[in-house]
Amino acid sequence: MNASTKRWLILLAGLVANLCQGVAYTSSIFMLPLGEVMQRPADTWAREWGIIFAMTLAFLPVGMLLSGKLADLGYTRLTIGLGAIFFGGGLLMAGRGGSVAYIACTLGLMTSVGSGFAYGTIIGACVRWFPDRRGLASGLAVAAVGVGPIVLAPIASRLTAAYGVLTMFTILGIATFILMGLAALCVSNPPAGYVPAGWTPPAPAAGTAGPTRESLNWKAMLTRPRFWLLYVTYFCGVFAGILVNGLAAPIAIELANFTRDQATGAVMLFALCSAGGRVLWGFLSDKFGRIFMIGLAFILTAATMFVLHGHVSTPGVLMPCVGMAGLCYGGIFGTFPSLSAESFGVKNAAVNLAVLFTSFSLVAVLAPQVVAHYRSGGPEEYPKAFLVAGCIAAVGLLLSIIVGKSMAKQAMPAVAVGGVKS
């Protein structure tokens, strides 16, 4: 098999594995039925679910960091295989039911770590195989996670209605373990010095000599002011999306009087737009620049959150805003992997992205707590969470402008991709 065909098949296998991880983005569908099965009081369960939901996302960087060095050394099959064991096993074990702590450890901790093992490895491999289309490749890879809920949300909803939420976890656990395990057998890194046929790496831009042209390890990366600018910008970029995604179903049911089936539609809409945003932003960022597209995402996010603040209980407003929040959230995800690789090099791409991704973990912990805080004040206080999210997006816009000016002063050339053993 020639390299041109192989890289597209590897990308396809990676997309399948990432699609399975979309289970985490359907988690708001699980909230109410799981609380009923566990017989938790509504107010207590809302707080407990906030912790569980945070854990499904917060430990992604842990898995990415644990697997990053192995992935950068070329052990992609091992790391994705471990991801399949942790992710599928976490769902399978959650199907046994149990205490809140047990569900948090299985549905939360295990699946989150497992997703981190596979997610970062797959993105790193795609970036290496597609130096000529880095934005598109990383956009497709992260889009697959966003597509997951489109496929999995109706399946999870129907399985829950037919067999109960615990059996649903068991079935999805087995299925995701098999699919991610098969993907692990297919994904590998390119050979050393790989360059796609017909593509010539662009020459370094004038005036860019210096250490920032090198492939930095994570320790050196932490000494760069640009890293910390990107870190906080990433935090601001995903805050609104995590807030809306994790609570799309409860928001629709409790504030807009949706049925559970209609609320599932809200989750699927967010997922569809998130997937589209990852591909669209990744593709357009290759043409118009990463920073320009990130700034556009912040403008649209801030406007959407401010509209939701005043009209969250209006179905005709809620659904378009959920879609726009998903589009911009996906846009941030579709842009940052390429931006990270171009800023700090591809040699240590998996570990560096994992370190940057810890800002996502902070949001995963804080965003649900912001919502819980305002929910405790009654329905009339609830929309204030969106006001907070809008202000954070506005701060992100200012930071993206600063990052853009920083990068303009010291333009980063595309780094030639050096492969490692597969």
Side-chain angles (χ1 to χ4, degrees), residues 122-277:
I122 290 167
I123 291 176
C126 291
V127 166
R128 291 186 175 101
W129 276 105
F130 289 85
D132 53 334
R133 302 179 182 180
R134 188 175 290 143
L136 178 62
S138 64
L140 286 171
V142 297
V145 181
V147 170
I150 302 171
V151 177
L152 297 171
I155 293 175
S157 183
R158 290 187 177 94
L159 288 175
T160 299
Y163 305 107
V165 67
L166 298 182
T167 301
M168 179 272 295
F169 286 145
T170 300
I171 294 172
L172 289 185
I174 294 172
T176 55
F177 172 76
I178 293 173
L179 291 173
M180 292 177 68
L182 291 174
L185 299 176
C186 300
V187 179
S188 63
N189 282 322
Y194 170 74
V195 175
W199 180 73
T200 303
T208 58
T212 54
R213 290 182 52 196
E214 301 172 357
S215 287
L216 305 178
N217 61 32
W218 68 272
K219 294 179 181 178
M221 181 181 67
L222 291 179
T223 67
R224 299 297 193 269
R226 183 181 301 170
F227 168 78
W228 295 106
L229 280 172
L230 290 177
Y231 191 88
V232 182
T233 303
Y234 201 4
F235 178 98
C236 295
V238 298
F239 189 93
I242 290 180
L243 188 147
V244 174
N245 171 69
L247 296 160
I251 286 170
I253 292 171
E254 297 175 0
L255 297 182
N257 296 317
F258 280 30
T259 66
R260 288 193 178 181
D261 286 341
Q262 291 172 328
T264 298
V267 174
M268 292 176 65
L269 175 63
F270 182 94
L272 176 64
C273 293
S274 175

Side-chain angles (χ1 to χ4, degrees), residues 341-403:
E342 291 166 357
S343 295
F344 311 115
V346 297
K347 181 179 179 181
N348 305 296
V351 173
N352 289 348
L353 182 60
V355 175
L356 180 62
F357 209 70
T358 58
S359 64
F360 175 88
S361 295
L362 293 178
V363 180
V365 172
L366 294 176
Q369 303 309 313
V370 170
V371 174
H373 170 74
Y374 286 112
R375 286 187 71 178
S376 64
E380 66 280 1
E381 295 293 312
Y382 188 89
K384 291 182 180 179
F386 299 106
L387 181 62
V388 172
C391 292
I392 289 175
V395 172
L397 175 61
L398 295 176
L399 289 173
S400 69
I401 294 172
I402 296 173
V403 172

